[in-house]
Amino acid sequence: MATDSNNPVKEAKKEEGEATAIRSTASTFGTVKFSLLRWWMRDVIGTVNQSQVIEKRREDCLLSERYLFMTAMSAGIAVLGLLLSSPAVVIGAMLLSPLMGPIMGLGFALAIGDYQWLKQSARSLAWGSVMGIALTGVLVYMSPIQTITPEIAARTQPNLFDLFVALFSALAGAYAMIRGREGTIVGVAIATALMPPLAVVGFGLATWNWTVFSGALLLYVTNLITIALTAWAMARLYGFKTTLSHRQTQYQNFMVIAVFIGLAIPLALSLQQIAFQTNSQRIIRGEIEEPFMTGSEISRLDVDFRAKPIAVSASIYTPSPKLDAETEIERALANRLGQPVELSLTQFQVGTSASAAEQAQLSATRESEEADAQARATDLAQRLALVAGVPEDDVLIDRTRRKALVRAEVLEGATLAAYKALEQRISATEPEWDVELLPPAGRLPAEITFGEDGPTPEGSQALSVVQWAASRVDLPIVLVGNATDAQAATELLVANGVEVSIRVANGPLRAEWAGPGE
């Protein structure tokens, strides 16, 4: 009896069916692909006003006095935030940074092949960078604080996370600009990847620290190139083409291509180094865990790839410590990485239960957090004592409630507004703390001005000082002046919990501390 495999007719029909299925699949895929391309071209690219986008981007690339001034101020604030290890201050610097304009302009100019725009963007970016580095260098050189803080150390070498910050910031920035939704938040995202490294470059220059200078400069350039090339890719994706630019010479076209290659090569080298370090850290972690029994847990792992040999420092919690583990791991790492490695391994013996290592690690983490909190509280007490003019022991610190209080001495020439500004400045660096600076009962604002619609800006500021002083000194307030303005001011102060009385008199409205019986 003949089988199906020996039946030529059935074999032919089977092959024909398979061919039909393949053609059907290919046809379906082609239809879907065509539909997606048509949707992208008509409903996405077709809705972008490319001429308007390019015109707006050109304006942002101009080398103006505002651009130079804001870049310098942003870099100056950033380096002060880095020296103080204050993320809040660094974020404030990013709000001012205008670096987004020329960097995005660089990418868009590459996308449309506009040599003149490319040259303008590069010039603005170069001058802004030089201005920022110069100012930060001068500030650090004049500063009594020249210590490498954790915030500075974290920006002395490119890593995979920094690259992703730059990439995602550039994607968001380019999309927002193309779709006409750019704003301050997008600028902050771009500045996140650029302004802190730029400030650290100035720090390294001022302290003649080549390691900090070169590492931060490499990070700055890597992030800058990543953002520019990402903007180029997004512009090309949204249909920006060379036909939108002016007629150019062959030399100018060659220069555009040369700039593109010049940006791509160092980025490729940085990516290669980042990939090596990322893979090496995974190998190092695996080799350290390998000799130890199940239940062991690495609690700390620090790798310095710039050291020769590569320096690895680690701590591990294990139920069964090994005396010769360090030598064995060093040899294994040298073989795997192809480079000599110097390992410093600290072993902590824990119980044999499955969760012993995790519990030990959690305990160590809590101890580290406790030590950090104690250090922050001590630093806060020192700064409050300095601005209040009192010994550090006079500062009351409640770490449980995160509250700090100090009674200030009389500072020559200091008004109540100055004391209020000092308190606000300290509070800005410690947003999780309730900071109170109790001033002496000095003279309250001598004039609280009102207009037809209520207090003027100067009057509102004066009332703010009165309200703050009353809450800190805990004494009632007397408003002296015409009855109408005094009544309006009283309502505002009482609504904020201030005890107020009125004394009708001629002249501008002013505030005084209440005397006995008032």
Side-chain angles (χ1 to χ4, degrees):
M1 182 176 179
T3 61
D4 289 347
S5 60
N6 295 326
N7 191 327
V9 177
K10 290 187 176 181
E11 285 292 329
K13 288 183 177 180
K14 182 178 180 181
E15 291 177 359
E16 182 179 353
E18 291 176 351
T20 302
I22 292 173
R23 285 194 298 270
S24 177
T25 302
S27 176
T28 302
F29 176 76
T31 302
V32 172
K33 179 180 178 182
F34 175 76
S35 300
L36 287 174
L37 286 175
R38 184 176 61 179
W39 167 78
W40 183 261
M41 297 295 295
R42 184 184 63 189
D43 298 336
V44 179
I45 294 179
T47 60
V48 176
N49 189 335
Q50 297 187 4
S51 299
Q52 183 178 353
V53 172
I54 290 176
E55 182 181 357
K56 182 69 170 75
R57 299 284 69 78
R58 288 182 191 275
E59 294 177 1
D60 292 341
C61 296
L62 296 177
L63 184 62
S64 62
E65 60 177 283
R66 176 191 175 279
Y67 166 76
L68 292 175
F69 179 78
M70 295 302 288
T71 301
M73 294 302 99
S74 177
I77 295 172
V79 79
L80 293 176
L82 293 171
L83 289 172
L84 294 171
S85 283
S86 173
V89 177
V90 176
I91 292 172
M94 295 171 189
L95 290 169
L96 302 178
S97 174
L99 287 175
M100 176 178 67
I103 293 175
M104 286 297 181
L106 200 64
F108 278 84
L110 282 171
I112 69 171
D114 191 325
Y115 174 74
Q116 295 300 328
W117 187 10
L118 182 70
K119 189 167 64 173
Q120 176 64 55
S121 299
R123 183 187 301 116
S124 298
L125 184 60
W127 276 108
S129 300
V130 170
M131 180 77 73
I133 293 172
L135 180 62
T136 54
V138 170
L139 287 174
V140 173
Y141 183 78
M142 297 173 60
S143 170
I145 304 174
Q146 295 185 355
T147 306
I148 299 178
T149 63
E151 291 285 336
I152 293 175
R155 294 171 173 90
T156 56
Q157 189 175 10
N159 59 51
L160 189 62
F161 300 107
D162 292 321
L163 185 68
F164 278 138
V165 168
L167 175 63
F168 293 141
S169 299
L171 287 171
Y175 173 80
M177 289 178 173
I178 291 171
R179 305 305 297 182
R181 295 180 176 87
E182 71 272 20
T184 301
I185 299 301
V186 175
V188 172
I190 299 295
T192 301
L194 293 172
M195 192 50 66
L198 184 68
V200 176
V201 172
F203 176 91
L205 182 64
T207 56
W208 293 102
N209 189 321
W210 171 252
T211 300
V212 172
F213 175 83
S214 60
L217 185 61
L218 179 60
L219 175 58
Y220 176 69
V221 172
T222 300
N223 288 350
L224 185 153
I225 293 172
T226 301
I227 293 170
L229 292 184
T230 303
W232 164 83
M234 287 288 286
R236 296 294 293 181
L237 181 65
Y238 274 85
F240 287 78
K241 301 183 183 301
T242 55
T243 54
L244 293 173
S245 61
H246 302 294
R247 180 175 296 175
Q248 301 179 132
T249 65
Q250 290 297 322
Y251 169 75
Q252 291 173 337
N253 289 330
F254 171 78
M255 288 301 297
V256 171
I257 296 172
V259 169
F260 180 84
I261 296 174
L263 291 176
I265 290 176
L267 179 59
L269 295 176
S270 291
L271 287 175
Q272 183 180 11
Q273 180 67 16
I274 290 171
F276 168 76
Q277 293 182 2
T278 303
N279 188 51
S280 296
Q281 289 203 357
R282 187 163 47 249
I283 292 173
I284 291 170
R285 179 173 290 275
E287 290 295 337
I288 292 176
E289 292 176 339
E290 179 68 23
F292 297 96
M293 63 182 294
T294 303
S296 300
E297 189 81 25
I298 294 177
S299 66
R300 180 181 58 85
L301 178 60
D302 299 318
V303 184
D304 185 0
F305 289 99
R306 290 172 295 189
K308 300 298 179 183
I310 297 175
V312 179
S313 177
S315 299
I316 187 168
Y317 295 101
T318 176
S320 178
K322 293 191 174 184
L323 297 178
D324 57 347
E326 192 169 295
T327 304
E328 292 179 4
I329 296 172
E330 270 189 0
R331 190 182 303 113
L333 287 175
N335 292 333
R336 293 286 302 277
L337 301 180
Q339 296 186 31
V341 176
E342 182 177 337
L343 172 64
S344 175
L345 180 63
T346 304
Q347 303 179 49
F348 297 98
Q349 186 170 7
V350 296
T352 56
S353 65
S355 61
E358 288 84 351
Q359 291 173 356
Q361 187 175 18
L362 288 173
S363 298
T365 301
R366 284 193 291 267
E367 290 176 4
S368 176
E369 292 175 350
E370 179 70 16
D372 290 342
Q374 179 63 44
R376 292 291 295 270
T378 301
D379 176 68
L380 176 59
Q382 291 173 347
R383 285 184 287 147
L384 280 174
L386 180 63
V387 299
V390 299
E392 186 178 338
D393 293 340
D394 289 352
V395 181
L396 301 179
I397 297 290
D398 186 345
R399 287 177 50 206
T400 303
R401 296 180 177 83
R402 291 186 177 273
K403 184 170 183 177
L405 184 144
V406 62
R407 186 173 298 279
E409 292 290 335
V410 176
L411 304 178
E412 185 177 355
T415 63
L416 288 172
Y419 286 107
K420 180 174 181 283
L422 287 173
E423 180 188 281
Q424 290 176 334
R425 189 175 303 172
I426 297 293
S427 296
T429 64
E430 301 293 342
E432 297 179 355
W433 282 72
D434 179 15
V435 178
E436 290 191 7
L437 177 66
L438 308 183
R443 185 179 179 184
L444 291 165
E447 185 173 357
I448 304 173
T449 56
F450 273 74
E452 294 181 358
D453 300 327
T456 64
E458 294 79 8
S460 296
Q461 186 174 2
L463 285 172
S464 174
V465 172
V466 171
Q467 175 192 331
W468 175 83
S471 66
R472 297 296 182 267
V473 178
D474 196 23
L475 287 176
I477 300 293
V478 177
L479 293 177
V480 182
N482 71 80
T484 303
D485 291 348
Q487 184 60 40
T490 298
E491 292 176 358
L492 294 173
L493 292 173
V494 169
N496 289 283
V498 180
E499 184 180 347
V500 185
S501 59
I502 297 175
R503 187 193 311 152
V504 178
N506 295 326
L509 182 66
R510 66 183 187 274
E512 297 178 355
W513 296 111
E518 287 189 286

